[in-house]
């Protein structure tokens, strides 16, 4: 029901006849902006002239958002209805205003009908709407007709400033820079507790004593912000560094402390956590620290990844520096980083310390490389291995000392057949393991020889010595050769280590397959058997016809054999004359005898021959000792004659000019038809001394002795090698 004053109703009745003649009148509320806390007068505009329209009354229904603005009053001073007085207002429903007003003189012109005063209570946007259209908003009884333009009021938040950081933890002597955002410079800084800190005009706070304070800033417009949290200041600070150490080492990590002078600290405790996969707490060291000489220090490291330190004394601590050094074992297996975190720290049971955590990282051990990585050897041989990539000196270890041993310098000595690996460890504990080192028990070799084409030759198949406790009681294998230059005829065991054995053979194409066994075994060195070959006219002078051991099995594979193949070379016969002195002398030959059987070779001088021997063969006609092995053109011999005699060797040039020497003493021949200079021959060879086999001349560079300058064909010499090596004759 409309609420209108009685005289106004009378006027509305008188003017009802003129409703159809009114023009549309636009009422408008504009879009306005204000700020929280402000009062704002919102105008209601009449945009079309009402002059002559006899407007004596109005009723409006306006809605708004009461979350952002509150209705306060209607203001009419200076408005179109000032002469009518204030309207009646119903504002009992939040967000809704119902207004009605009337006067005795009609409204004229355009302008502000009245102002609605609102109080801005929170930030946001409130629409201002003529609610219900013409049914709820009209002049008189609806004439003239109205149109409506709704408005809005945007309420902005009050301008603010923010101090940052909102909280902080400092120790005495530290500073903290504070900043402010928002507001208008310049700013004025302040603190709530000047007994514990001071702050500069630029916001730099300096901690001066233990306690708490807050920081404030005020901008040029008087807007102020105060930190919500406290700025806590502690009397001292404990700090861990960022440090590192090599894997596998013991590391001391310092716990640093700020100045304790004047604080009366006589006790304290702290707890530290760390990565137990990287570090293991082992103890502490107070030498040179603030706790040096303190009587009561305890450590609890029973819980993995945690260490607790407590200390107490009677003399207050003073000064700054290292409080204590914590000792840790660095993992030799794991790598990475460990945080060093304080979980608690206090002095005198009540004074909390500020803590700064640190970190530890491993310095990873380097990869150690062993050179050569893999190798093949025969029992009795040595090989020098080297290590690189780490910090010298290195220690060495063999994976199986029964098979091979290694000394402190990496020199490996092969003992018996098998596979071993070497491990080298550097001075910091870094280690590396090489690849497989294959060790054979012995060499099985085809002893190369020259032969006059068209003749028959017994080619020796020899074996070097075996490790102690091993022997051969059967042998089988296959040997291939160059055809048609060579034709295999038979297996000959007479005068060899298999003498008396039974052999079976099968010759097919250019291969001879054989197997032999006997009741006596042997351990060498010596000739196991001969392969008798017929050389054909197809073998030309200088032609090398290969003879290869394709496979060979000693016993059932133990001992193991490393194969050395050889050849038969078509050669012209030659002679070499040797002068044999009465008594002992050393002899050799640069020819490979056509008949290497020692008994046959020395038949012309047998009546005066007392003894002939080297490391593998002994021949003594007076004692009835017969040689097992044939003449070895790669070895020297000792000989003793009852009278001087000239001896002629008939054969061919020894095509193998390389001598394989072992560590220690070796009796060597001269594989040359002309004298050989000592210094030139032995350049680069790891030897100590070379001397006449029987005589006093020697070449000993370390002692500056050089009475032996040349090696003479036909003689033999003793040479001492530091390690295994080769000599190559020209």
């Amino acid at each position: 029901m409309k609420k209108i004053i009685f005289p106004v109703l009378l006027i509305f009745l008188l003017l009802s006849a003129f409703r159809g003649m009114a023009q549309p009148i636009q009422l408008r509320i504009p879009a306005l902006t204000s700020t929280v806390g402000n009062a704002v007068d919102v105008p209601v505009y009449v945009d079309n002239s009402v002059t002559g329209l006899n407007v004596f009354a109005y009723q409006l229904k306006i809605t708004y958002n009461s979350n952002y603005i509150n209705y306060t009053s209607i203001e009419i001073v200076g408005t179109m209805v000032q002469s009518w007085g204030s309207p009646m207002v119903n504002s009992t429903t939040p967000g809704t205003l119902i207004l009605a007003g009337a006067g005795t003189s009609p409204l004229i012109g355009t302008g502000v009908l009245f102002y609605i005063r609102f109080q801005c209570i929170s930030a946001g946007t409130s629409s201002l709407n003529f609610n219900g259209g013409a049914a709820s908003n009209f002049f008189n009884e609806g004439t003239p007709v109205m149109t409506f333009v709704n408005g809005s009021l945007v309420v902005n938040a009050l301008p603010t400033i923010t101090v940052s950081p909102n909280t902080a933890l400092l120790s005495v002597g530290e500073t903290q820079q504070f900043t402010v955002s928002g507001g208008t410079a310049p700013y004025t800084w302040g603190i709530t507790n000047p007994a514990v800190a001071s702050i500069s005009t630029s916001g730099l706070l300096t901690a001066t004593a233990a306690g708490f304070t807050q920081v404030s800033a005020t901008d040029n417009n008087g807007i102020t912000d105060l930190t919500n949290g406290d700025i806590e200041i502690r009397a001292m600070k404990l700090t861990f560094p960022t440090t590192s150490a090599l894997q596998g080492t013991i590391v001391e990590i310092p716990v640093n402390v700020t100045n304790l002078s004047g604080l009366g600290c006589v006790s304290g405790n702290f707890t530290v956590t760390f990565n137990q996969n990287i570090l293991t707490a082992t103890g502490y060291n107070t030498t040179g620290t603030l706790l040096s000489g303190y009587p009561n220090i305890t450590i609890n490291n029973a819980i993995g990844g945690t260490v607790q330190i407590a200390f107490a004394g009677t003399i207050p601590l003073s000064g700054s520096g290292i409080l204590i050094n914590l000792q840790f074992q660095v993992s030799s297996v794991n790598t990475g980083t460990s945080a060093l975190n304080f979980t608690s720290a206090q002095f005198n049971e009540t004074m909390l310390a500020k803590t700064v955590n640190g970190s530890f990282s491993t310095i990873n051990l380097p990869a150690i490389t062993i050179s050569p990585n893999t190798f093949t050897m025969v029992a009795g041989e040595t090989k020098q291995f080297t290590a690189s990539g780490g910090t010298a000196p290195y220690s060495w270890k063999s994976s199986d000392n029964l098979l091979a041993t290694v000394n402190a310098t990496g020199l490996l000595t092969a003992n018996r057949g098998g596979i071993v690996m070497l491990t080298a460890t550097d001075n910091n504990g870094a280690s590396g393991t090489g690849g497989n080192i294959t060790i054979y028990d012995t060499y099985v070799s085809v002893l190369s020889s020259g032969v006059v084409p068209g003749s028959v030759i017994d080619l020796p198949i020899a074996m070097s010595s075996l490790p102690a406790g091993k022997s051969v009681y059967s042998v089988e294998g296959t040997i291939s050769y160059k055809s048609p230059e060579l034709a295999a005829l038979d297996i000959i065991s007479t005068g060899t280590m298999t003498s008396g054995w039974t052999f079976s053979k099968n010759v097919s194409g250019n291969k001879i397959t054989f197997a032999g066994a006997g009741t006596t075994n042997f351990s060498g060195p010596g000739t196991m058997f001969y392969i008798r070959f017929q050389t054909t006219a197809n073998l030309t002078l200088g032609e090398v016809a290969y003879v290869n051991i394709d496979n060979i099995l000693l016993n059932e594979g133990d001992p193991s054999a490393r194969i050395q193949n050889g050849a038969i070379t078509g050669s012209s016969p030659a002679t070499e004359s040797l002068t044999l002195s009465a008594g002992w002398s050393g002899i050799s030959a640069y020819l490979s005898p056509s008949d290497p059987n020692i008994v046959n070779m020395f038949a012309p001088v047998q009546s005066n021959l007392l003894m002939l021997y080297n490391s593998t063969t002994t021949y003594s006609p007076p004692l009835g000792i017969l040689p097992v092995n044939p003449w070895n053109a790669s070895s020297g011999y000792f000989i003793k004659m009852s009278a001087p005699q000239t001896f002629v060797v008939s054969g061919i040039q020894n095509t193998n000019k390389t001598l394989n020497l072992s560590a220690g003493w070796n009796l060597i021949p001269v594989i040359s038809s002309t004298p050989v200079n000592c210094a030139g021959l032995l350049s680069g060879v790891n030897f100590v001394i070379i001397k006449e086999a029987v005589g006093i001349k020697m070449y000993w560079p370390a002692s500056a002795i050089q009475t032996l300058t040349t090696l003479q064909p036909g003689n033999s010499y003793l040479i001492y090698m530091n390690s295994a090596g080769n000599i190559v004759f020209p």
Side-chain angles (χ1 to χ4, degrees), residues 80-99:
M80 295 173 66
V81 298
Q82 179 174 343
S83 62
W84 287 9
S86 296
M88 295 179 62
V89 179
N90 182 350
S91 60
T92 57
T93 301
T96 300
L97 296 177
I98 300 175
L99 307 98

Side-chain angles (χ1 to χ4, degrees), residues 469-614:
K470 293 197 174 187
S471 62
V472 177
Y473 50 82
S474 68
V475 61
E476 61 181 278
T478 300
I479 295 177
S480 60
Y481 48 86
K482 191 174 184 181
S483 177
E485 288 81 357
L486 306 177
L489 302 177
D490 203 356
I491 300 289
I492 307 298
S493 63
T494 303
T496 70
M497 294 186 295
T498 60
S499 182
W501 281 25
T502 299
F503 275 89
S504 63
K505 67 180 186 300
N506 178 40
V507 178
S508 177
N510 70 331
K511 294 180 182 292
I512 179 169
T513 302
F514 59 89
T519 58
T520 59
N521 55 21
F522 59 87
S523 58
T527 299
M528 292 196 298
F529 53 86
Y530 297 96
I531 304 292
R532 179 166 289 173
F533 286 101
Q534 172 68 58
T535 62
T536 70
N538 295 95
L539 181 65
T540 59
L541 292 178
E543 182 181 2
V544 178
Y546 68 86
V547 179
N548 294 338
I549 301 173
D550 297 330
N551 60 80
I552 194 163
L553 191 67
L554 305 179
N555 303 336
E556 296 300 321
D558 184 19
S560 57
R562 186 178 187 186
I563 295 170
Q564 290 183 320
N565 293 317
I568 295 174
T569 303
S571 304
S572 299
T575 59
E576 178 182 0
S577 180
L578 302 179
T579 300
L580 305 178
S581 303
W584 286 105
S585 60
I587 65 169
S588 65
Y590 60 80
L591 296 179
S592 292
S594 299
D595 185 354
N597 186 290
I598 290 178
V599 175
N600 295 339
M601 283 179 61
F602 285 87
V605 297
Q606 184 176 352
S607 59
N608 291 320
L609 178 60
L610 299 177
M611 183 171 285
L612 173 78
Y613 78 92
N614 65 5

